[in-house]
Amino acid sequence: MSDSWDPDRYLAYADERGRPFVDLLARVPAETPHVVVDLGCGPGNLTALLADRWSGASVVGIDSSPEMIAAAREVEGVTWEVGDLRDWARPDPAALRAPVDVLVSNATLQWVPEHLELLPGLVDRVAPGGWFAFQVPGNFDEPSHTIRTDLAGQAPYAEHVRGARVPTSHSPHDYARLLLDLGCEVDAWETTYLHVLTGPDPVFTWVSGTGARPTLQALPDDLRPLFEEEFRALLREAYPADASGRVVLPFRRIFVVARKPATTTAVGV
């Protein structure tokens, strides 16, 4: 995960991006957890909600982006770490990690192509009777993503962005089935939010802070402005503003809350 991230651009729509986290957290009924971990914490604004809710817990925020962690360090009451969740999910006998009572990952797993294979390892980090809750986008067949994919596949861009990371996710059923097979109790659902955005090219502002960022970074400086100009125009056509300048962005998200059995022998990892 070598892409660099811009916390300010990411926070341009902080309220809209934060609502799924709040909705996810509302379905985690843990009362007095000792250790709470946020994998892919970003700039830490949402991790702070974990510290507020479980004030007696040790709360840890982990992100692979040094830029995000640097911004997160302004939030007090949380321990911040730069780290890759893929390493965190792998068995490591040399690492004496405390069992995690609540493990949260919000809009992060979609950046790891093999994340379905990592779920058993992540469940293994959760204490018996603990909770594993995550949310991933499920809107990759929407114009906000397909336009970028189609445009990036054309000359002169294709040769430069071939290796750029592209987010992906699975169906709620896929996640639920895997976690059920691990012996967990599972609550899985999906929600389509209708975000009302304003400002110049708001959909471009949204995607350029997240899903489209690796593609934009992969382009050379002399091509990026041309790509952005074409991308903006196509997004304006796909998401036209109304007479008041408002744009409605449908955004489907997938939620999973799993509770690990109270005895570890019930989980096959």
Side-chain angles (χ1 to χ4, degrees), residues 203-227:
V203 178
F204 175 82
T205 299
W206 182 292
V207 300
S208 64
T210 52
R213 186 169 176 83
T215 299
L216 295 172
Q217 285 187 310
L219 290 165
D221 293 342
D222 60 331
L223 281 181
R224 190 177 303 112
L226 178 61
F227 182 92

Side-chain angles (χ1 to χ4, degrees), residues 95-116:
L96 301 177
R97 295 186 177 93
V100 177
D101 299 296
V102 178
L103 177 61
V104 178
S105 184
N106 182 63
T108 298
L109 292 174
Q110 74 274 8
W111 288 109
V112 185
E114 72 278 17
H115 69 261
L116 206 61

Side-chain angles (χ1 to χ4, degrees), residues 158-177:
E159 64 178 298
H160 301 286
V161 303
R162 197 166 289 118
R165 288 198 303 158
V166 177
T168 187
S169 64
H170 301 273
S171 73
H173 181 274
D174 289 337
Y175 295 121
R177 176 52 58 192

